[in-house]
């Protein structure tokens, strides 16, 4: 089975596969100016494929006695999907897209923090998806190959060792930052999440290869139907 087919198992609001939304997005937008640009463009691509799914940006969620904000809530006729986005880039410039636009992406140097924040997104979705009719998707788009490439055999341990999200990795259980030396960054995951990067676009020049990673989060099996996850 190819990667697109595997990715198609993940549905958005029970109406359209994530793979179909990403494919629709990539037809016109091979790259984005910012994370907010990605969020808005994804919501539009979803609407083009399924107009009966309503998208809401920056939706407050109440979990564990505090309010947090979800990047995108997709509301279908009978099910919903909570989505968190990460857009981590290395420097790239070019003119692409339909219509053609000039892009000048900045380089985000802290790949270790990108890994930390993505894993935190998964944990956040585990908290948010506490109703039987709502799933979650953590999505990262990047042109930084260090995120999907396994570390070299001779590389020593790093502070983000347990937060690595390279191809073939699996995330589960309690992940410690710097072997537990900084407890504030420890993160515990309820589920088990295999990491599989999928090609998104191939543009000219260094940093022109973009891939995306999507992790699907399901509600716990014992979740109550009457447990709202939004304010």
């Amino acid at each position: 089975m190819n990667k697109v087919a595997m990715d198609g198992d993940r549905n958005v609001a029970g109406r359209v596969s994530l793979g179909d939304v990403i494919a629709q997005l990539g037809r016109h937008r091979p790259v984005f100016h910012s994370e907010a640009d990605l969020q808005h463009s994804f919501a539009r691509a979803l609407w083009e494929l399924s107009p009966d799914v309503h998208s809401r940006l920056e939706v407050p969620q109440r979990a564990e006695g505090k309010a947090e904000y979800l990047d995108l809530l997709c509301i279908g006729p009978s099910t919903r999907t909570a989505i968190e986005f990460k857009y981590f880039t290395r420097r790239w410039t070019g003119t692409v897209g339909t219509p053609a636009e000039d892009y000048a992406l900045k380089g985000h140097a802290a790949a270790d923090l990108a890994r930390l924040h993505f894993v935190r997104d998964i944990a956040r979705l585990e908290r948010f998806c506490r109703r039987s009719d709502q799933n979650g998707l953590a999505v990262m788009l990047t042109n930084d190959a260090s995120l999907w490439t396994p570390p070299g055999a001779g590389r020593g341990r790093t502070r983000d060792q347990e937060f690595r999200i390279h191809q073939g990795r699996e995330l589960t259980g309690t992940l410690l930052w710097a072997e537990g030396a900084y407890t504030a960054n420890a993160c515990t995951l309820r589920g088990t999440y295999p990491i599989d990067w999928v090609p998104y676009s191939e543009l000219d020049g260094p940093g022109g290869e973009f891939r995306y990673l999507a992790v699907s989060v399901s509600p716990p099996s014992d979740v109550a139907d009457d447990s709202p996850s939004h304010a």
Side-chain angles (χ1 to χ4, degrees), residues 43-120:
R44 179 175 178 83
L46 174 60
W47 177 83
E48 290 169 349
L49 292 174
S50 187
D52 59 346
V53 175
H54 303 276
S55 295
R56 304 289 184 260
L57 293 164
E58 292 297 315
V59 180
Q61 310 284 300
R62 299 203 176 276
E64 299 180 357
K66 63 179 180 180
E68 300 177 90
Y69 286 85
L70 172 68
D71 286 343
L72 184 68
L73 179 63
C74 306
I75 306 171
S78 59
T79 60
R80 302 144 36 119
T81 300
I83 306 180
E84 289 284 341
F85 293 93
K86 285 291 177 285
Y87 185 50
F88 185 85
T89 59
R90 57 173 290 191
R91 192 176 298 276
W92 183 85
T93 59
T95 303
V96 293
T98 306
E101 295 181 59
D102 295 330
Y103 291 86
L105 303 185
K106 296 180 180 179
H108 297 129
D112 56 346
L113 296 182
R115 298 181 182 102
L116 171 65
H117 294 153
F118 183 76
V119 173
R120 282 181 168 174

Side-chain angles (χ1 to χ4, degrees), residues 7 17-27 42 139 199-200 212:
D7 187 69
S17 75
L18 175 65
D20 286 346
V21 181
I22 295 292
Q24 176 77 357
L25 191 60
R27 290 187 181 97
F42 182 97
V139 178
Y200 179 71
Y212 77 93

